[in-house]
Amino acid sequence: MRENEYTPNVFARGLGLDSMKTVGIICPNISDHYMARAVAYLEESLHENGYDCILGCSGYKQEERESYVKLMLSKRIDTLVLVGSSYAGSSRNEFDTDYIREAAETTPVFMINGRVDGKNVYCACADDYHATYEVTTKLIKRGKKKILFMYDSDSFSARQKMAGYDAALSEAGYPVRGDLKFKTKNNIEYTRDLLLTYKNLEFDSVVATDDGIAVGALKYAKVKGISVPEELSIIGYNDSILAVGCEPELTSIDSKLAVLCKTTIDHMIRLLGKGEEIEPYVCVPCNVVKRCTTDF
């Protein structure tokens, strides 16, 4: 082999071993900060363990997600990783995750920050419920009475965050007000401008499901001349580069994305390489990173 400078054909070898040492990764949109970081963590960890990866971006529509999963399975991958809670379906349709269970009949499916119950499906999630419950409770203890919850989707993660927000309000004896649940886009300028169009929306604090939304609220406060955190407290989510790139720096919840990705790959190696039994669901606690947009 050395004399003839022979290089093994990875595809032929994969056919013989019934393994291509290749993992399919699908996320909705690689331009999203959360998705981009997740893919970077996953790729690094896979390479450390001798695996290559194929990346695909499915978009957010149900039909696109289903067709992209089928396409990825046709690539003869060893396993499939779905990044993002949108793959766990919405509260409106209990059947929109059936395609994941069908895919798991062919190959193991790992999900990051989404939960789907099924054989051969393995999920790692941040504890979004308790993280949002904690920060909402902290705001209430600081005397905040009109806490605006800002979100951009009906995903599994967003529903967990909203449930934590609702629970904190209910426990404190506050009404859960629909007018203080504000749906927007995960876009700074869009969120700022949308808030500016509401003349009668009164709030003294913001809990956002992403840092981009929270920075949009911070921009709104600057336009309106509202002092942060004295008059308005703002909390973001995911502790991204946006949280330290704004002024004042943003208090944010660290959703432990690096831990979720490492846990996913560790479990994958245990399952594929060692044939070990692994837990179907792992929930990772989050941390509140306190900066300058809150006074608790």
Side-chain angles (χ1 to χ4, degrees):
M1 291 173 68
R2 283 194 297 269
E3 290 175 1
N4 291 281
E5 298 181 352
Y6 173 78
T7 302
N9 184 302
V10 65
F11 298 102
R13 183 170 57 186
L15 290 171
L17 299 175
D18 198 30
S19 172
M20 298 296 294
K21 301 289 283 186
T22 301
V23 173
I25 301 174
I26 303 178
C27 68
N29 186 347
I30 196 63
S31 68
D32 179 271
H33 292 94
Y34 183 92
M35 308 295 173
R37 289 168 60 207
V39 170
Y41 290 139
L42 289 169
E43 185 175 25
E44 180 180 9
S45 189
L46 284 169
H47 286 171
E48 289 174 355
N49 286 280
Y51 281 81
D52 291 322
C53 63
I54 302 173
L55 173 65
C57 298
S58 68
Y60 291 93
K61 294 181 180 179
Q62 180 71 17
E63 300 81 7
E64 294 174 336
R65 292 197 293 259
E66 293 185 17
S67 63
Y68 223 105
V69 166
K70 290 179 181 178
L71 176 63
M72 191 64 79
L73 291 178
S74 72
K75 304 295 184 182
R76 194 175 170 80
I77 55 175
D78 289 74
T79 189
L80 177 64
V81 181
L82 302 176
V83 181
S85 60
S86 63
Y87 293 106
S90 69
S91 59
R92 296 184 297 272
N93 189 346
E94 60 180 302
F95 302 110
D96 57 9
T97 56
D98 283 349
Y99 74 101
I100 294 176
R101 283 179 281 271
E102 292 172 5
E105 295 175 4
T106 302
T107 188
V109 176
F110 289 82
M111 303 185 67
I112 293 178
N113 218 30
R115 182 170 186 177
V116 170
D117 294 324
K119 186 178 180 181
N120 219 23
V121 180
Y122 306 94
C123 308
C125 296
D127 193 353
D128 294 323
Y129 173 91
H130 285 101
T132 312
Y133 171 87
E134 178 186 350
V135 295
T136 305
T137 299
K138 287 180 181 293
L139 290 171
I140 292 171
K141 289 181 177 179
R142 293 297 296 165
K144 304 299 183 181
K145 298 184 180 299
K146 298 178 180 178
I147 304 171
L148 183 65
F149 180 81
M150 302 186 71
Y151 65 105
D152 66 335
S153 73
D154 186 37
S155 68
F156 172 82
S157 177
R159 297 196 304 272
Q160 295 299 303
K161 294 168 187 174
M162 186 179 291
Y165 164 84
D166 290 349
L169 292 178
S170 297
E171 186 176 287
Y174 285 16
V176 179
R177 295 169 46 183
D179 61 329
L180 287 178
K181 292 181 178 180
F182 192 91
K183 191 170 186 178
T184 182
K185 293 181 181 179
N186 186 14
N187 179 280
I188 295 172
E189 292 82 6
Y190 182 93
T191 298
R192 176 200 61 198
D193 295 344
L194 192 58
L195 283 173
L196 289 170
T197 64
Y198 283 79
K199 305 301 181 184
N200 299 316
L201 183 64
E202 296 183 2
F203 54 97
D204 54 22
S205 48
V206 172
V207 174
T209 60
D210 193 276
D211 288 338
I213 298 172
V215 175
L218 188 60
K219 296 282 188 180
Y220 158 83
K222 184 175 182 179
V223 172
K224 298 288 286 186
I226 299 171
S227 177
V228 177
E230 292 79 9
E231 297 177 88
L232 179 66
S233 294
I234 302 175
I235 301 170
Y237 217 100
N238 292 328
D239 195 32
S240 68
I241 190 66
L242 294 175
V244 293
C246 60
E247 184 60 40
E249 292 187 0
L250 181 69
T251 294
S252 184
I253 295 171
D254 179 1
S255 54
K256 298 297 181 179
L257 181 57
V259 176
L260 293 178
C261 292
K262 185 179 186 306
T263 299
T264 296
I265 300 305
D266 287 348
H267 283 190
M268 183 185 303
I269 299 304
R270 286 172 53 194
L271 179 68
L272 297 180
K274 302 178 181 179
E276 296 180 7
E277 290 288 333
I278 58 174
E279 310 92 304
Y281 178 67
V282 176
C283 187
V284 176
C286 303
N287 287 342
V288 180
V289 183
K290 301 174 185 178
R291 296 192 180 93
C292 304
T293 58
T294 55
D295 59 0
F296 56 68

